[in-house]
Amino acid sequence: MTKTNRSNCPILRATNAMGDQWSILILREFFLEGPRRFQDLQDTLALSPNTLSNRLKKLESSGIIARRTYSTNPPRAEYVLTETGHALRPVMRALHEWGEAHTPDLE
């Protein structure tokens, strides 16, 4: 990578799409559990509704997840990984393996 192309490097673009630690932990839930409802994610991750909503919107606008309505009365929706989101499986697996090999258990 040269100095001139760092402002548009693939790593920068990927981290812009995926977001921060919370976004990666949200993605973990999709890979472990499949489609998830807002409340399921909130219960599992103990995130504030505003933070979770913002991260889901970011992942949705990046094309990583999609919001799917499954009931109209009352309105209910769930989030699912898109094809682009599923393509992150090797990245998530690599993060898991690296964390398992190189980080201590949390107390």
Side-chain angles (χ1 to χ4, degrees):
M1 181 171 18
T2 65
K3 200 171 196 174
T4 58
N5 70 359
R6 286 187 185 160
S7 64
N8 190 30
C9 90
I11 295 170
L12 174 63
R13 295 191 315 260
T15 55
N16 281 343
M18 288 177 64
D20 60 10
Q21 173 189 3
W22 287 120
S23 298
I24 292 170
L25 293 174
I26 290 167
L27 289 173
R28 175 196 66 189
E29 294 306 310
F30 287 104
F31 284 106
L32 291 175
E33 303 290 338
R36 307 295 286 154
R37 295 176 307 150
F38 186 94
Q39 190 63 49
D40 296 334
L41 291 165
Q42 191 175 8
D43 291 347
T44 301
L45 298 169
L47 277 172
S48 75
N50 287 341
T51 300
L52 179 56
S53 180
N54 289 337
R55 296 320 186 275
L56 290 171
K57 286 176 186 173
K58 173 75 172 163
L59 291 167
E60 190 175 10
S61 71
S62 296
I64 295 171
I65 63 171
R67 188 173 186 273
R68 181 171 67 188
T69 302
Y70 65 87
S71 172
T72 54
N73 195 7
R76 299 197 188 272
E78 64 184 359
Y79 294 89
V80 296
L81 287 172
T82 62
E83 188 175 324
T84 299
H86 280 287
L88 287 167
R89 182 175 298 280
V91 174
M92 297 299 287
R93 185 175 291 125
L95 282 171
H96 179 271
E97 290 171 2
W98 186 90
E100 194 169 61
H102 300 288
T103 60
D105 286 344
L106 297 175
E107 306 229 356

